[in-house]
Amino acid sequence: MVILETPVQKRFSDVDSFLHVNNVSQQMYFDLGKMEFYKKILEIDTPEKIRRIITVSTHTDYKGQIRMEDDIFVRTTIDKVGTTSMQFLQQLICRLPQGGEQVRTESRSVMVVFDFQKQEKAPVPESWRKLLLGE
């Protein structure tokens, strides 16, 4: 499977009153990773008018705090490709000052290919499947 790493630039407004990056901001970081994945891996530069990818399920585990000074990035991959869906596995990873990395947040999202003209699910295009599976 293909893995993409996206740097994250945190904003002052991402930090809550507990002095850590709030959960809503972390979800936006995952979206940033998905957008870059669509563009660089699936070669989708702009959304198609008819067929798009929509989120149908998201599950997130918060394993540790992210603070403003932490050097973080989003690691994005697809760990499952179905007939009409793809499951993203994403992690917010902190580069540790002493070296190494630590997963602070992990999210799985099920994305479905959706035909907006027909208002129904559509098959994952074969060209995407080949890119995702590295064929």
Side-chain angles (χ1 to χ4, degrees), residues 73-92:
F73 63 93
V74 181
R75 182 174 289 152
T76 304
T77 189
I78 301 281
D79 63 356
K80 191 185 296 182
V81 180
T83 305
T84 60
S85 66
M86 304 169 284
Q87 181 172 279
F88 275 84
L89 169 61
Q90 293 184 284
Q91 298 171 316
L92 289 177

Side-chain angles (χ1 to χ4, degrees), residues 23-128:
N23 298 355
V24 173
S25 294
Q26 292 184 45
Q27 294 303 316
M28 288 190 276
Y29 300 162
F30 287 133
D31 287 346
L32 178 69
K34 285 184 192 102
M35 296 281 292
E36 187 170 8
F37 195 91
Y38 297 152
K39 184 175 183 178
K40 290 187 174 179
I41 306 303
L42 294 180
E43 301 172 354
I44 304 170
D45 206 10
T46 56
E48 294 182 38
K49 292 181 180 170
I50 297 172
R51 185 181 57 210
R52 297 187 195 146
I53 303 169
I54 60 173
T55 304
V56 296
S57 174
T58 300
H59 177 86
T60 304
D61 292 311
Y62 299 94
K63 300 174 178 286
Q65 296 182 52
I66 298 173
R67 299 196 177 275
M68 188 63 166
E69 65 273 7
D70 290 338
D71 179 13
I72 63 167
F73 63 93
V74 181
R75 182 174 289 152
T76 304
T77 189
I78 301 281
D79 63 356
K80 191 185 296 182
V81 180
T83 305
T84 60
S85 66
M86 304 169 284
Q87 181 172 279
F88 275 84
L89 169 61
Q90 293 184 284
Q91 298 171 316
L92 289 177
I93 299 176
C94 180
R95 288 186 184 90
L96 302 174
Q98 66 273 26
E101 300 172 345
Q102 186 178 56
V103 176
R104 297 287 172 87
T105 309
E106 186 170 276
S107 179
R108 279 192 161 69
S109 300
V110 177
M111 313 299 286
V112 169
V113 179
F114 195 79
D115 185 323
F116 277 82
Q117 190 172 35
K118 295 179 181 176
Q119 287 294 296
E120 61 186 31
K121 295 185 287 186
V124 173
E126 197 57 36
S127 60
W128 293 3

